[in-house]
Amino acid sequence: MLQPHTLFTGAVRAAIGEDALRSRLSEDVLFADVGEEAVRGLLDFDALDEVLATRPLAPPRLRLHRTGSAVPVERYTEAGEVSREAARVVRPEALYRELREGASLVLDSVDRLHPPVREAADDLMRLVRERAQANLYLIWGDSHGFATHWDDHDTFIVQVAGEKAWQVHGPGSRPHPMKVDSDHSHTPPEGTVWEGVLRPGHVLHVPRGWWHTVTGTGGVSMHLTFGFTRATGVDWARSLVERLYDEEVFRRDLPRFASPDERRKRHDELVRVLSALAEENGVDAFLAERDARFPRRHSYALRWAVEDGRVPEEDTAVEFVPLIAPPVAVEGGKASVTVSGRRYRFPAAAEPVLSVLARDRRLTAGELAERSGAGFDTVAAVLRAFVRHHLVVLR
């Protein structure tokens, strides 16, 4: 059985093909049948019931939609209290009623609520090198929660239970629309570029801005939508703007009341500095800096990180915390990595340990010592340092 934490880098990549995935990601609709077994451990009704029972979920994080419109929250929640704060609280019997009548349940950021979905989201982030979030969609019957629409982010839809009919119509009248954009009035295209019924184990990739229509098929449907937003030229340009604060000519007032020649000279100087800055800080450098600031998932190992006397043993489980593998630099007898915008320096002996952790991510301390070629005492000392800097968690 393929573990959920390799759903995208393993099953999806194998089903679609490495070359096709690289060339068509965010550019074309992609379909893969990875098999029901590959998604079985992600989320089922027992796990969903537990999440609903133990988490203080209130609108808008948990919400209902029917035929393209939001169901008024008063229909399925009531005034209550969560941690002594006033909040809307879901009424189970009202939620059941709305679902029986064809409403669609949406639960945002389910990856923060259920570990298997979190692992799959982490795995997607390693594949696309962008932040990802997973939302849950649940419906009974043949209705639909949303009208024909487009999303402002790329998506991978993973069907985990039941069936749902999809029509992907393709990009609309404005290619590559954005969440923050100058025009949101674009229209869908004619026809359909992909159509089918998703069943458990089916995975569908829909690029940002591609219009689609989704409807139930009469029974139950539960799917996870993993969304991610890729860096654009606007993001690169915005990073240049942030650097302009270091340039005196850009901090100076514009010469509104100067002569035309003086305004032209200032314009030319601004263009020259901006052009030089763009050359010095190209797209590759921007993407590398973006990777260096990539967030790490918040996992905790309190006793290992706080107590001085705890020493890893060979069967101690080790998990690498950074979501994407940071490059390791060795200079001056030190090994350094940059994670979430912070630079960490360790003795050079840590370099082979870091390299194995970045590649294998989860293993025991004994396996780490064997694969890195470092002695176990060295590995244990390195792990004690890593856990305190939140580079690994130990179990």
Side-chain angles (χ1 to χ4, degrees):
M1 172 181 175
L2 189 66
Q3 295 300 315
H5 66 271
T6 59
L7 176 65
F8 292 99
T9 61
V12 172
R13 177 186 280 163
I16 294 176
E18 180 76 26
D19 293 340
L21 193 58
R22 286 184 177 275
S23 63
R24 297 171 63 191
L25 184 71
S26 304
E27 298 292 335
D28 197 3
V29 62
L30 297 170
F31 170 79
D33 183 357
V34 300
E36 185 174 358
E37 191 68 17
V39 304
R40 188 185 304 279
L42 282 176
L43 186 69
D44 58 21
F45 279 100
D46 288 340
L48 178 57
D49 289 342
E50 179 69 12
V51 167
L52 295 176
T54 58
R55 304 295 198 276
L57 301 173
R61 188 168 191 180
L62 182 152
R63 59 193 184 276
L64 299 179
H65 289 261
R66 182 185 292 109
T67 60
S69 299
V71 176
V73 296
E74 294 79 10
R75 292 183 58 88
Y76 57 95
T77 68
E78 60 187 2
E81 197 175 84
V82 176
S83 297
R84 300 183 181 181
E85 295 288 339
R88 302 298 301 186
V89 178
V90 175
R91 292 188 293 122
E93 69 277 18
L95 179 68
Y96 300 156
R97 182 192 65 239
E98 295 297 331
L99 292 173
R100 285 197 303 269
E101 294 177 358
S104 174
L105 183 150
V106 182
L107 180 57
D108 285 349
S109 300
V110 70
D111 53 300
R112 294 181 177 272
L113 304 172
H114 190 52
V117 180
R118 179 177 67 240
E119 291 180 1
D122 291 352
D123 189 55
L124 176 60
M125 288 190 264
R126 287 190 286 274
L127 177 70
V128 301
R129 303 182 78 85
E130 302 289 357
R131 303 185 188 195
Q133 174 181 309
N135 294 347
L136 166 75
Y137 294 83
L138 174 66
I139 195 170
W140 275 266
D142 56 5
S143 61
H144 62 275
F146 300 89
T148 299
H149 66 285
W150 60 275
D151 295 315
D152 58 26
H153 51 274
D154 293 278
T155 59
F156 273 101
I157 290 85
V158 179
Q159 191 75 21
V160 293
E163 300 179 347
K164 206 163 195 180
W166 281 74
Q167 289 180 312
V168 182
H169 308 293
S173 57
R174 181 176 179 80
H176 311 292
M178 302 179 67
K179 182 176 183 178
V180 178
D181 208 334
S182 59
D183 180 11
H184 286 281
S185 63
H186 54 291
T187 56
E190 298 289 338
T192 300
V193 298
W194 189 91
E195 185 172 3
V197 175
L198 297 189
R199 299 180 175 86
H202 288 180
V203 179
L204 184 68
H205 169 58
V206 181
R208 166 169 58 98
W210 283 45
W211 292 76
H212 49 279
T213 305
V214 188
T215 56
T217 60
V220 66
S221 170
M222 181 162 62
H223 77 262
L224 296 164
T225 294
F226 292 84
F228 60 96
T229 302
R230 301 187 70 177
T232 68
V234 172
D235 295 308
W236 172 68
R238 189 178 291 117
S239 74
L240 295 180
V241 170
E242 292 298 318
R243 295 178 184 275
L244 294 177
Y245 292 105
D246 294 330
E247 303 294 334
E248 180 183 346
V249 67
F250 273 87
R251 298 197 307 271
R252 293 172 60 189
D253 299 339
L254 292 174
R256 178 187 293 272
F257 302 111
S259 69
D261 284 346
E262 288 176 312
R263 290 199 300 272
R264 168 54 63 181
K265 288 180 181 178
R266 179 67 62 82
H267 169 267
D268 292 345
E269 186 179 8
L270 292 171
V271 170
R272 178 181 58 79
V273 172
L274 179 59
S275 178
L277 198 65
E279 287 295 330
E280 295 170 5
N281 301 274
V283 170
D284 286 349
F286 166 70
L287 293 175
E289 183 177 355
R290 188 177 171 91
D291 284 352
R293 295 185 178 278
F294 205 88
R296 44 190 155 185
R297 201 55 103 166
H298 281 181
S299 303
Y300 290 89
L302 291 174
R303 297 192 66 185
W304 284 102
V306 177
E307 297 177 8
D308 290 330
R310 296 182 68 85
V311 178
E313 299 181 355
E314 291 200 0
D315 61 352
T316 299
V318 183
E319 181 179 354
F320 198 45
V321 171
L323 289 170
I324 59 176
V328 182
V330 178
E331 55 184 350
K334 297 288 186 179
S336 65
V337 292
T338 301
V339 177
S340 299
R342 298 189 62 181
R343 188 167 182 244
Y344 299 92
R345 301 184 70 201
F346 302 99
E351 187 276 331
V353 179
L354 273 170
S355 298
V356 172
L357 282 170
R359 182 191 68 205
D360 296 343
R361 305 202 63 86
R362 292 182 180 181
L363 65 174
T364 66
E367 292 170 333
L368 181 57
E370 180 180 351
R371 296 176 193 181
S372 66
F376 185 80
D377 289 345
T378 298
V379 168
V382 168
L383 290 178
R384 287 200 300 271
F386 284 1
V387 74
R388 294 185 177 186
H389 290 294
H390 194 49
L391 296 177
V392 299
V393 291
L394 304 178
R395 306 289 186 211

